[in-house]
């Protein structure tokens, strides 16, 4: 790797909702794209992780996509077209957005490692090396699927896969499938796969279904809980663990079809299936881990941002600033791990980081 590095004030790592929102605000503040700031994105196309989501995830079945700042989704797609695939619609919107604001996004560029060099950061990628004064990290979670360890996992002769690898229910026809997890993705896959084959559903805790609509106040309360956790340096935890699962019409219909038969977690994996503590066994062909994702932050390891418990102490107006090093912001992490949260956090991170670095924006 060359010692020569392109010098930039702020590097945004990741070009999903969080990275684009941050870039928009840096642009609005008058920072010069390509020198004052730039975005490095590993994905082949605009769209962040949305471009990789399974085909049956449509604009109707996602929770809700909040508009990026400054340009509405409706400018690209009629919001009434709810049957369109999220993996097509959202990337089209992000692409138009990048063009509208001429955001300097370089892709595909994977950031391999970030380390300190004097009062700057050295950002090593699979292509060039960059030198930055500040970092806004917006790398999401899609690249860090989480699978808990259960004894015997390595002995299983069937197929193990994660939400990350799910494409279509038809691929499971004729197979016996076990789904692990109590989140929204687990339920969507249970709904789809149970229409083509037999499915066993296990969760660690009984899932908590919320009666009634999820109000904006509920949203704010959930975000406040996660924000408090990261300010204390705890691992953020998933949003569903805070909000519970909405009892949507789709979930009600699943209950009526008799597929919401949750079993407790098994205690071990056998070569042919799973076994519970009481000795009961089930043979399965596929174990589908819908067990969530963690933040994709491995490239920041040399910065030593984590506490011994694995959490990161966060500070700043919307808890995007890393307390140990205020020149690093994490957007799309913890309380901002949603499309609306990423929007707001991008603005806060851009403003606070520019202030920390003493950059004088040309425009207010
Ligand atoms: C199945 C599913 C459905 C969801 N539905 C909703 C919903 O309906 N509403 C909602 O608000 N939220 C939803 N979420 C959460 C939502 O996707 C996120 O909060 C938001 O879109 C994430 O944006 P992001 O920019 O943080 O991450 P991403 O969209 O993951 O973007 C991160 C980008 O960073 C890039 N990157 C990663 N590592 C590197 C690296 N080392 N170097 C360079 N680039 C890198 C990635 O390639 C990617 O392009 C959903 C999540 C999942 C998994």
């Amino acid at each position: 790797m060359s010692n020569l590095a392109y010098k930039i004030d702020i590097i945004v790592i990741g070009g999903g909702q969080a990275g684009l929102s941050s870039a928009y605000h840096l642009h609005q503040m008058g920072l010069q794209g390509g020198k004052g700031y730039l975005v490095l994105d590993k994905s082949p196309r605009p769209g962040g992780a949305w471009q990789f989501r399974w085909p049956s995830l449509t604009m109707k079945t996602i929770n809700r996509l909040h508009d990026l700042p400054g340009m509405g989704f409706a400018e690209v797609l009629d919001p009434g077209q709810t049957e369109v695939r999220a993996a097509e619609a959202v990337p089209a919107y992000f692409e138009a957005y990048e063009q509208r604001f001429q955001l300097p996004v370089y892709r595909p560029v994977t950031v391999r490692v970030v380390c300190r060099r004097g009062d700057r950061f050295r950002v090593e990628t699979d292509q060039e090396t960059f030198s930055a004064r500040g970092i806004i990290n917006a790398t999401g979670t899609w690249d860090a699927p989480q699978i808990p360890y259960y004894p015997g996992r390595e002995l299983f002769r069937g197929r193990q896969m994660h939400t990350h690898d799910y494409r279509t229910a038809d691929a499971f026809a004729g197979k016996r499938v076990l789904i692990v997890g109590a989140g929204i993705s687990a339920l969507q896959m249970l709904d789809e796969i149970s229409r083509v084959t037999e499915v066993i559903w296990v969760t660690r805790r009984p899932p908590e279904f919320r009666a009634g609509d999820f109000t904006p106040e509920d949203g704010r309360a959930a975000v406040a809980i996660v924000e408090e956790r990261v300010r204390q340096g705890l691992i953020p935890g998933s949003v569903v663990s805070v909000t519970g699962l909405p009892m949507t019409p789709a979930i009600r219909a699943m209950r009526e079809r008799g597929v919401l038969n949750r079993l407790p977690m098994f205690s071990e994996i056998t070569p042919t299936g799973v076994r519970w503590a009481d000795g009961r066994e089930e043979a399965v062909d596929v174990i589908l881990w819908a067990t969530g994702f963690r933040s994709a932050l491995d490239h920041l390891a040399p910065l030593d941002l984590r506490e011994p418990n694995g959490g990161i102490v966060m500070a700043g107006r919307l808890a995007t600033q890393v307390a140990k090093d205020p020149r690093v912001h994490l957007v799309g992490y913890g309380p901002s791990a949603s499309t609306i949260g990423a929007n707001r956090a991008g603005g806060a991170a851009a403003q606070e980081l520019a202030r920390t670095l003493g950059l004088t924006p040309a425009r207010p």
Side-chain angles (χ1 to χ4, degrees), residues 13-19 40-43 47-50 53-54 57 62-65 109-111 138-143 185 293 299 331-332 337-340:
I13 309 176
Q17 183 108 9
L40 303 177
D41 187 32
K42 171 176 162 180
S43 293
W50 291 100
R53 303 253 156 92
W54 53 94
L57 194 72
I62 66 168
N63 292 338
R64 182 175 168 197
L65 180 85
V109 179
T110 301
V111 173
T139 44
T141 59
W142 188 251
D143 291 311
S185 302
F293 297 80
H299 54 287
V331 181
S338 69
T339 55
I340 188 169

mmCIF file of all heavy atoms in Angstrom, residues 13-19 40-43 47-50 53-54 57 62-65 109-111 138-143 185 293 299 331-332 337-340, ligand 1:
data_model
loop_
_atom_site.group_PDB
_atom_site.id
_atom_site.type_symbol
_atom_site.label_atom_id
_atom_site.label_comp_id
_atom_site.label_asym_id
_atom_site.label_seq_id
_atom_site.Cartn_x
_atom_site.Cartn_y
_atom_site.Cartn_z
ATOM 1 N N ILE A 13 -18.048 7.116 5.398
ATOM 2 C CA ILE A 13 -17.901 5.718 4.979
ATOM 3 C C ILE A 13 -19.289 5.098 4.914
ATOM 4 O O ILE A 13 -19.968 4.978 5.935
ATOM 5 C CB ILE A 13 -16.994 4.927 5.943
ATOM 6 C CG1 ILE A 13 -15.676 5.665 6.182
ATOM 7 C CG2 ILE A 13 -16.739 3.518 5.393
ATOM 8 C CD1 ILE A 13 -14.758 4.987 7.204
ATOM 9 N N GLY A 14 -19.716 4.729 3.711
ATOM 10 C CA GLY A 14 -21.039 4.139 3.526
ATOM 11 C C GLY A 14 -21.973 5.097 2.802
ATOM 12 O O GLY A 14 -22.031 6.280 3.130
ATOM 13 N N GLY A 15 -22.677 4.586 1.788
ATOM 14 C CA GLY A 15 -23.553 5.435 0.969
ATOM 15 C C GLY A 15 -25.013 5.020 1.028
ATOM 16 O O GLY A 15 -25.719 5.124 0.028
ATOM 17 N N GLY A 16 -25.481 4.540 2.190
ATOM 18 C CA GLY A 16 -26.910 4.267 2.377
ATOM 19 C C GLY A 16 -27.612 5.528 2.880
ATOM 20 O O GLY A 16 -27.115 6.646 2.698
ATOM 21 N N GLN A 17 -28.754 5.338 3.496
ATOM 22 C CA GLN A 17 -29.540 6.491 3.974
ATOM 23 C C GLN A 17 -28.707 7.373 4.921
ATOM 24 O O GLN A 17 -28.733 8.600 4.832
ATOM 25 C CB GLN A 17 -30.789 5.977 4.720
ATOM 26 C CG GLN A 17 -31.728 7.060 5.195
ATOM 27 C CD GLN A 17 -33.023 7.116 4.385
ATOM 28 O OE1 GLN A 17 -33.294 6.238 3.570
ATOM 29 N NE2 GLN A 17 -33.823 8.150 4.602
ATOM 30 N N ALA A 18 -27.960 6.732 5.804
ATOM 31 C CA ALA A 18 -27.192 7.491 6.795
ATOM 32 C C ALA A 18 -26.052 8.272 6.136
ATOM 33 O O ALA A 18 -25.820 9.449 6.446
ATOM 34 C CB ALA A 18 -26.633 6.535 7.848
ATOM 35 N N GLY A 19 -25.352 7.619 5.201
ATOM 36 C CA GLY A 19 -24.234 8.285 4.533
ATOM 37 C C GLY A 19 -24.707 9.406 3.627
ATOM 38 O O GLY A 19 -24.109 10.486 3.573
ATOM 39 N N LEU A 40 -17.303 7.119 0.555
ATOM 40 C CA LEU A 40 -16.766 5.868 0.012
ATOM 41 C C LEU A 40 -17.791 4.772 0.275
ATOM 42 O O LEU A 40 -18.201 4.566 1.424
ATOM 43 C CB LEU A 40 -15.438 5.510 0.703
ATOM 44 C CG LEU A 40 -14.340 6.571 0.623
ATOM 45 C CD1 LEU A 40 -13.109 6.123 1.413
ATOM 46 C CD2 LEU A 40 -13.970 6.860 -0.838
ATOM 47 N N ASP A 41 -18.219 4.111 -0.757
ATOM 48 C CA ASP A 41 -19.282 3.109 -0.602
ATOM 49 C C ASP A 41 -18.887 1.799 -1.261
ATOM 50 O O ASP A 41 -18.514 1.758 -2.434
ATOM 51 C CB ASP A 41 -20.580 3.645 -1.227
ATOM 52 C CG ASP A 41 -21.772 2.744 -0.953
ATOM 53 O OD1 ASP A 41 -21.795 2.106 0.116
ATOM 54 O OD2 ASP A 41 -22.675 2.689 -1.807
ATOM 55 N N LYS A 42 -19.033 0.733 -0.488
ATOM 56 C CA LYS A 42 -18.631 -0.595 -0.939
ATOM 57 C C LYS A 42 -19.606 -1.207 -1.952
ATOM 58 O O LYS A 42 -19.234 -2.066 -2.752
ATOM 59 C CB LYS A 42 -18.587 -1.451 0.327
ATOM 60 C CG LYS A 42 -18.418 -2.881 0.230
ATOM 61 C CD LYS A 42 -18.316 -3.393 1.677
ATOM 62 C CE LYS A 42 -18.560 -4.861 1.752
ATOM 63 N NZ LYS A 42 -18.456 -5.342 3.131
ATOM 64 N N SER A 43 -20.864 -0.771 -1.905
ATOM 65 C CA SER A 43 -21.880 -1.390 -2.767
ATOM 66 C C SER A 43 -21.643 -1.043 -4.231
ATOM 67 O O SER A 43 -21.147 0.038 -4.546
ATOM 68 C CB SER A 43 -23.272 -0.902 -2.357
ATOM 69 O OG SER A 43 -23.577 -1.397 -1.084
ATOM 70 N N GLY A 47 -28.095 2.868 -3.302
ATOM 71 C CA GLY A 47 -29.209 2.139 -2.664
ATOM 72 C C GLY A 47 -28.880 1.564 -1.300
ATOM 73 O O GLY A 47 -29.761 1.015 -0.643
ATOM 74 N N GLY A 48 -27.610 1.661 -0.876
ATOM 75 C CA GLY A 48 -27.247 1.072 0.415
ATOM 76 C C GLY A 48 -27.647 -0.397 0.436
ATOM 77 O O GLY A 48 -27.672 -1.068 -0.601
ATOM 78 N N ALA A 49 -28.043 -0.890 1.614
ATOM 79 C CA ALA A 49 -28.383 -2.311 1.733
ATOM 80 C C ALA A 49 -29.698 -2.655 1.047
ATOM 81 O O ALA A 49 -29.976 -3.820 0.813
ATOM 82 C CB ALA A 49 -28.462 -2.706 3.211
ATOM 83 N N TRP A 50 -30.496 -1.640 0.723
ATOM 84 C CA TRP A 50 -31.792 -1.935 0.089
ATOM 85 C C TRP A 50 -31.615 -2.724 -1.200
ATOM 86 O O TRP A 50 -32.474 -3.528 -1.570
ATOM 87 C CB TRP A 50 -32.551 -0.637 -0.196
ATOM 88 C CG TRP A 50 -33.009 0.039 1.056
ATOM 89 C CD1 TRP A 50 -32.410 1.094 1.683
ATOM 90 C CD2 TRP A 50 -34.149 -0.300 1.869
ATOM 91 N NE1 TRP A 50 -33.090 1.438 2.823
ATOM 92 C CE2 TRP A 50 -34.173 0.600 2.952
ATOM 93 C CE3 TRP A 50 -35.149 -1.272 1.780
ATOM 94 C CZ2 TRP A 50 -35.159 0.551 3.944
ATOM 95 C CZ3 TRP A 50 -36.126 -1.312 2.760
ATOM 96 C CH2 TRP A 50 -36.128 -0.415 3.823
ATOM 97 N N ARG A 53 -31.918 -6.521 -0.663
ATOM 98 C CA ARG A 53 -33.049 -7.127 0.056
ATOM 99 C C ARG A 53 -33.836 -8.063 -0.864
ATOM 100 O O ARG A 53 -33.888 -7.875 -2.080
ATOM 101 C CB ARG A 53 -33.954 -6.038 0.626
ATOM 102 C CG ARG A 53 -33.193 -5.094 1.555
ATOM 103 C CD ARG A 53 -33.516 -5.268 3.007
ATOM 104 N NE ARG A 53 -32.424 -4.795 3.843
ATOM 105 C CZ ARG A 53 -32.306 -3.570 4.345
ATOM 106 N NH1 ARG A 53 -33.230 -2.684 4.101
ATOM 107 N NH2 ARG A 53 -31.278 -3.259 5.110
ATOM 108 N N TRP A 54 -34.472 -9.060 -0.283
ATOM 109 C CA TRP A 54 -35.128 -10.109 -1.059
ATOM 110 C C TRP A 54 -36.274 -9.555 -1.912
ATOM 111 O O TRP A 54 -36.908 -8.563 -1.555
ATOM 112 C CB TRP A 54 -35.607 -11.229 -0.134
ATOM 113 C CG TRP A 54 -36.464 -10.811 1.027
ATOM 114 C CD1 TRP A 54 -37.820 -10.774 1.061
ATOM 115 C CD2 TRP A 54 -36.027 -10.387 2.319
ATOM 116 N NE1 TRP A 54 -38.257 -10.353 2.299
ATOM 117 C CE2 TRP A 54 -37.181 -10.119 3.093
ATOM 118 C CE3 TRP A 54 -34.777 -10.211 2.923
ATOM 119 C CZ2 TRP A 54 -37.128 -9.682 4.409
ATOM 120 C CZ3 TRP A 54 -34.718 -9.773 4.251
ATOM 121 C CH2 TRP A 54 -35.883 -9.514 4.968
ATOM 122 N N LEU A 57 -39.803 -8.354 -0.740
ATOM 123 C CA LEU A 57 -39.918 -7.182 0.136
ATOM 124 C C LEU A 57 -40.293 -5.986 -0.744
ATOM 125 O O LEU A 57 -39.490 -5.509 -1.542
ATOM 126 C CB LEU A 57 -38.587 -6.931 0.862
ATOM 127 C CG LEU A 57 -38.663 -5.970 2.044
ATOM 128 C CD1 LEU A 57 -39.368 -6.607 3.234
ATOM 129 C CD2 LEU A 57 -37.272 -5.529 2.469
ATOM 130 N N ILE A 62 -42.378 -3.260 3.609
ATOM 131 C CA ILE A 62 -41.398 -2.635 4.513
ATOM 132 C C ILE A 62 -42.188 -1.814 5.550
ATOM 133 O O ILE A 62 -43.380 -1.561 5.378
ATOM 134 C CB ILE A 62 -40.390 -1.716 3.777
ATOM 135 C CG1 ILE A 62 -41.083 -0.489 3.159
ATOM 136 C CG2 ILE A 62 -39.656 -2.487 2.703
ATOM 137 C CD1 ILE A 62 -40.106 0.577 2.687
ATOM 138 N N ASN A 63 -41.514 -1.402 6.606
ATOM 139 C CA ASN A 63 -42.232 -0.597 7.616
ATOM 140 C C ASN A 63 -42.590 0.754 7.028
ATOM 141 O O ASN A 63 -43.730 1.109 6.867
ATOM 142 C CB ASN A 63 -41.367 -0.364 8.852
ATOM 143 C CG ASN A 63 -41.147 -1.643 9.601
ATOM 144 O OD1 ASN A 63 -41.921 -2.574 9.469
ATOM 145 N ND2 ASN A 63 -40.084 -1.692 10.372
ATOM 146 N N ARG A 64 -41.570 1.522 6.714
ATOM 147 C CA ARG A 64 -41.771 2.835 6.096
ATOM 148 C C ARG A 64 -40.408 3.413 5.750
ATOM 149 O O ARG A 64 -39.479 3.341 6.547
ATOM 150 C CB ARG A 64 -42.473 3.761 7.089
ATOM 151 C CG ARG A 64 -42.734 5.095 6.456
ATOM 152 C CD ARG A 64 -43.531 6.033 7.299
ATOM 153 N NE ARG A 64 -43.452 7.346 6.683
ATOM 154 C CZ ARG A 64 -43.743 8.467 7.285
ATOM 155 N NH1 ARG A 64 -44.158 8.452 8.525
ATOM 156 N NH2 ARG A 64 -43.626 9.606 6.652
ATOM 157 N N LEU A 65 -40.327 3.959 4.552
ATOM 158 C CA LEU A 65 -39.088 4.622 4.154
ATOM 159 C C LEU A 65 -39.293 6.124 4.322
ATOM 160 O O LEU A 65 -40.181 6.696 3.694
ATOM 161 C CB LEU A 65 -38.783 4.313 2.684
ATOM 162 C CG LEU A 65 -37.513 4.961 2.152
ATOM 163 C CD1 LEU A 65 -36.303 4.101 2.484
ATOM 164 C CD2 LEU A 65 -37.592 5.180 0.649
ATOM 165 N N VAL A 109 -15.968 1.068 -3.448
ATOM 166 C CA VAL A 109 -14.715 1.226 -2.692
ATOM 167 C C VAL A 109 -14.962 0.689 -1.280
ATOM 168 O O VAL A 109 -15.829 1.209 -0.578
ATOM 169 C CB VAL A 109 -14.273 2.702 -2.610
ATOM 170 C CG1 VAL A 109 -12.984 2.823 -1.807
ATOM 171 C CG2 VAL A 109 -14.082 3.313 -3.996
ATOM 172 N N THR A 110 -14.227 -0.321 -0.896
ATOM 173 C CA THR A 110 -14.383 -0.895 0.445
ATOM 174 C C THR A 110 -13.316 -0.330 1.371
ATOM 175 O O THR A 110 -12.116 -0.427 1.062
ATOM 176 C CB THR A 110 -14.220 -2.433 0.394
ATOM 177 O OG1 THR A 110 -15.208 -2.950 -0.490
ATOM 178 C CG2 THR A 110 -14.373 -3.058 1.771
ATOM 179 N N VAL A 111 -13.751 0.251 2.471
ATOM 180 C CA VAL A 111 -12.775 0.700 3.471
ATOM 181 C C VAL A 111 -12.349 -0.512 4.280
ATOM 182 O O VAL A 111 -13.182 -1.184 4.891
ATOM 183 C CB VAL A 111 -13.385 1.792 4.387
ATOM 184 C CG1 VAL A 111 -12.419 2.117 5.521
ATOM 185 C CG2 VAL A 111 -13.705 3.034 3.568
ATOM 186 N N ALA A 138 -20.959 5.336 8.379
ATOM 187 C CA ALA A 138 -22.379 5.053 8.102
ATOM 188 C C ALA A 138 -22.471 3.724 7.363
ATOM 189 O O ALA A 138 -23.053 3.635 6.281
ATOM 190 C CB ALA A 138 -22.969 6.193 7.272
ATOM 191 N N THR A 139 -21.889 2.697 7.956
ATOM 192 C CA THR A 139 -21.745 1.421 7.251
ATOM 193 C C THR A 139 -22.871 0.428 7.546
ATOM 194 O O THR A 139 -22.818 -0.710 7.079
ATOM 195 C CB THR A 139 -20.384 0.774 7.582
ATOM 196 O OG1 THR A 139 -20.158 0.883 8.979
ATOM 197 C CG2 THR A 139 -19.267 1.471 6.846
ATOM 198 N N GLY A 140 -23.882 0.851 8.317
ATOM 199 C CA GLY A 140 -25.058 0.004 8.498
ATOM 200 C C GLY A 140 -24.760 -1.310 9.204
ATOM 201 O O GLY A 140 -23.767 -1.448 9.947
ATOM 202 N N THR A 141 -25.606 -2.295 8.920
ATOM 203 C CA THR A 141 -25.498 -3.587 9.611
ATOM 204 C C THR A 141 -25.540 -4.776 8.643
ATOM 205 O O THR A 141 -25.261 -5.893 9.038
ATOM 206 C CB THR A 141 -26.686 -3.760 10.592
ATOM 207 O OG1 THR A 141 -27.904 -3.687 9.838
ATOM 208 C CG2 THR A 141 -26.694 -2.702 11.666
ATOM 209 N N TRP A 142 -25.913 -4.525 7.397
ATOM 210 C CA TRP A 142 -26.192 -5.623 6.462
ATOM 211 C C TRP A 142 -25.010 -6.566 6.303
ATOM 212 O O TRP A 142 -25.177 -7.764 6.071
ATOM 213 C CB TRP A 142 -26.613 -5.025 5.112
ATOM 214 C CG TRP A 142 -27.100 -6.040 4.133
ATOM 215 C CD1 TRP A 142 -26.469 -6.463 3.005
ATOM 216 C CD2 TRP A 142 -28.339 -6.759 4.179
ATOM 217 N NE1 TRP A 142 -27.239 -7.394 2.356
ATOM 218 C CE2 TRP A 142 -28.394 -7.597 3.057
ATOM 219 C CE3 TRP A 142 -29.422 -6.772 5.078
ATOM 220 C CZ2 TRP A 142 -29.471 -8.448 2.800
ATOM 221 C CZ3 TRP A 142 -30.499 -7.625 4.823
ATOM 222 C CH2 TRP A 142 -30.503 -8.442 3.696
ATOM 223 N N ASP A 143 -23.805 -6.011 6.411
ATOM 224 C CA ASP A 143 -22.606 -6.838 6.213
ATOM 225 C C ASP A 143 -22.177 -7.566 7.478
ATOM 226 O O ASP A 143 -21.113 -8.187 7.497
ATOM 227 C CB ASP A 143 -21.451 -5.970 5.701
ATOM 228 C CG ASP A 143 -21.724 -5.491 4.288
ATOM 229 O OD1 ASP A 143 -22.077 -6.332 3.447
ATOM 230 O OD2 ASP A 143 -21.634 -4.275 4.040
ATOM 231 N N SER A 185 -38.377 -9.481 10.298
ATOM 232 C CA SER A 185 -37.912 -10.309 9.172
ATOM 233 C C SER A 185 -38.286 -11.768 9.395
ATOM 234 O O SER A 185 -38.711 -12.464 8.461
ATOM 235 C CB SER A 185 -36.400 -10.200 9.001
ATOM 236 O OG SER A 185 -36.037 -8.874 8.798
ATOM 237 N N PHE A 293 -28.661 -8.443 13.065
ATOM 238 C CA PHE A 293 -27.377 -7.977 12.542
ATOM 239 C C PHE A 293 -26.702 -7.156 13.653
ATOM 240 O O PHE A 293 -27.381 -6.657 14.539
ATOM 241 C CB PHE A 293 -27.606 -7.042 11.343
ATOM 242 C CG PHE A 293 -28.268 -7.712 10.162
ATOM 243 C CD1 PHE A 293 -29.645 -7.915 10.126
ATOM 244 C CD2 PHE A 293 -27.514 -8.126 9.079
ATOM 245 C CE1 PHE A 293 -30.258 -8.525 9.032
ATOM 246 C CE2 PHE A 293 -28.115 -8.734 7.983
ATOM 247 C CZ PHE A 293 -29.476 -8.935 7.958
ATOM 248 N N HIS A 299 -13.794 -2.343 10.561
ATOM 249 C CA HIS A 299 -12.713 -1.547 9.958
ATOM 250 C C HIS A 299 -12.237 -0.418 10.893
ATOM 251 O O HIS A 299 -11.203 0.185 10.656
ATOM 252 C CB HIS A 299 -13.172 -0.972 8.607
ATOM 253 C CG HIS A 299 -14.452 -0.204 8.713
ATOM 254 N ND1 HIS A 299 -15.665 -0.798 8.899
ATOM 255 C CD2 HIS A 299 -14.694 1.131 8.690
ATOM 256 C CE1 HIS A 299 -16.608 0.114 8.984
ATOM 257 N NE2 HIS A 299 -16.046 1.295 8.864
ATOM 258 N N VAL A 331 -23.243 7.245 12.355
ATOM 259 C CA VAL A 331 -24.615 7.561 11.954
ATOM 260 C C VAL A 331 -25.264 6.261 11.466
ATOM 261 O O VAL A 331 -24.638 5.477 10.749
ATOM 262 C CB VAL A 331 -24.625 8.637 10.850
ATOM 263 C CG1 VAL A 331 -26.051 8.989 10.449
ATOM 264 C CG2 VAL A 331 -23.900 9.883 11.326
ATOM 265 N N GLY A 332 -26.522 6.040 11.891
ATOM 266 C CA GLY A 332 -27.166 4.753 11.574
ATOM 267 C C GLY A 332 -26.825 3.715 12.631
ATOM 268 O O GLY A 332 -27.107 2.534 12.459
ATOM 269 N N ALA A 337 -30.552 4.022 13.945
ATOM 270 C CA ALA A 337 -30.620 2.868 13.031
ATOM 271 C C ALA A 337 -32.032 2.688 12.461
ATOM 272 O O ALA A 337 -32.684 1.676 12.675
ATOM 273 C CB ALA A 337 -30.170 1.610 13.750
ATOM 274 N N SER A 338 -32.495 3.715 11.788
ATOM 275 C CA SER A 338 -33.763 3.647 11.050
ATOM 276 C C SER A 338 -33.655 4.721 9.984
ATOM 277 O O SER A 338 -32.754 5.570 10.044
ATOM 278 C CB SER A 338 -34.952 3.948 11.956
ATOM 279 O OG SER A 338 -34.923 5.306 12.339
ATOM 280 N N THR A 339 -34.556 4.714 9.012
ATOM 281 C CA THR A 339 -34.400 5.722 7.957
ATOM 282 C C THR A 339 -34.653 7.127 8.505
ATOM 283 O O THR A 339 -33.967 8.073 8.124
ATOM 284 C CB THR A 339 -35.315 5.408 6.753
ATOM 285 O OG1 THR A 339 -36.662 5.279 7.194
ATOM 286 C CG2 THR A 339 -34.893 4.138 6.047
ATOM 287 N N ILE A 340 -35.598 7.280 9.427
ATOM 288 C CA ILE A 340 -35.845 8.619 9.972
ATOM 289 C C ILE A 340 -34.693 9.026 10.905
ATOM 290 O O ILE A 340 -34.226 10.167 10.883
ATOM 291 C CB ILE A 340 -37.216 8.703 10.701
ATOM 292 C CG1 ILE A 340 -37.517 10.144 11.083
ATOM 293 C CG2 ILE A 340 -37.293 7.807 11.919
ATOM 294 C CD1 ILE A 340 -38.946 10.373 11.551
HETATM 295 C C1 LIG B 1 -34.942 -6.386 6.070
HETATM 296 C C2 LIG B 1 -34.869 -5.004 6.616
HETATM 297 C C3 LIG B 1 -35.950 -4.137 6.440
HETATM 298 C C4 LIG B 1 -35.916 -2.845 6.952
HETATM 299 N N1 LIG B 1 -36.983 -2.035 6.784
HETATM 300 C C5 LIG B 1 -36.960 -0.776 7.269
HETATM 301 C C6 LIG B 1 -38.046 0.122 7.081
HETATM 302 O O1 LIG B 1 -39.054 -0.229 6.508
HETATM 303 N N2 LIG B 1 -37.948 1.382 7.587
HETATM 304 C C7 LIG B 1 -36.827 1.823 8.241
HETATM 305 O O2 LIG B 1 -36.781 2.985 8.668
HETATM 306 N N3 LIG B 1 -35.775 1.001 8.419
HETATM 307 C C8 LIG B 1 -35.815 -0.284 7.963
HETATM 308 N N4 LIG B 1 -34.748 -1.117 8.159
HETATM 309 C C9 LIG B 1 -33.578 -0.592 8.803
HETATM 310 C C10 LIG B 1 -32.985 0.289 7.714
HETATM 311 O O3 LIG B 1 -32.592 -0.473 6.595
HETATM 312 C C11 LIG B 1 -31.894 1.096 8.164
HETATM 313 O O4 LIG B 1 -32.090 1.769 9.350
HETATM 314 C C12 LIG B 1 -31.392 2.103 7.136
HETATM 315 O O5 LIG B 1 -31.864 1.951 5.824
HETATM 316 C C13 LIG B 1 -29.957 1.783 7.154
HETATM 317 O O6 LIG B 1 -29.289 2.780 6.455
HETATM 318 P P1 LIG B 1 -27.727 2.860 6.626
HETATM 319 O O7 LIG B 1 -27.277 3.934 5.720
HETATM 320 O O8 LIG B 1 -27.382 2.982 8.070
HETATM 321 O O9 LIG B 1 -27.170 1.429 6.180
HETATM 322 P P2 LIG B 1 -27.133 0.678 4.781
HETATM 323 O O10 LIG B 1 -28.324 0.900 3.963
HETATM 324 O O11 LIG B 1 -26.752 -0.720 5.129
HETATM 325 O O12 LIG B 1 -25.909 1.363 4.025
HETATM 326 C C14 LIG B 1 -24.595 1.149 4.428
HETATM 327 C C15 LIG B 1 -23.697 1.271 3.226
HETATM 328 O O13 LIG B 1 -22.357 1.218 3.692
HETATM 329 C C16 LIG B 1 -21.620 0.382 2.829
HETATM 330 N N5 LIG B 1 -20.476 -0.173 3.563
HETATM 331 C C17 LIG B 1 -20.497 -1.099 4.551
HETATM 332 N N6 LIG B 1 -19.241 -1.356 4.965
HETATM 333 C C18 LIG B 1 -18.421 -0.585 4.221
HETATM 334 C C19 LIG B 1 -17.004 -0.404 4.160
HETATM 335 N N7 LIG B 1 -16.187 -1.065 4.982
HETATM 336 N N8 LIG B 1 -16.504 0.453 3.246
HETATM 337 C C20 LIG B 1 -17.320 1.158 2.420
HETATM 338 N N9 LIG B 1 -18.676 1.026 2.442
HETATM 339 C C21 LIG B 1 -19.216 0.168 3.335
HETATM 340 C C22 LIG B 1 -22.601 -0.688 2.402
HETATM 341 O O14 LIG B 1 -22.173 -1.327 1.229
HETATM 342 C C23 LIG B 1 -23.876 0.145 2.224
HETATM 343 O O15 LIG B 1 -23.967 0.655 0.901
HETATM 344 C C24 LIG B 1 -34.763 -2.415 7.657
HETATM 345 C C25 LIG B 1 -33.675 -3.284 7.822
HETATM 346 C C26 LIG B 1 -33.731 -4.566 7.323
HETATM 347 C C27 LIG B 1 -32.547 -5.486 7.533
#
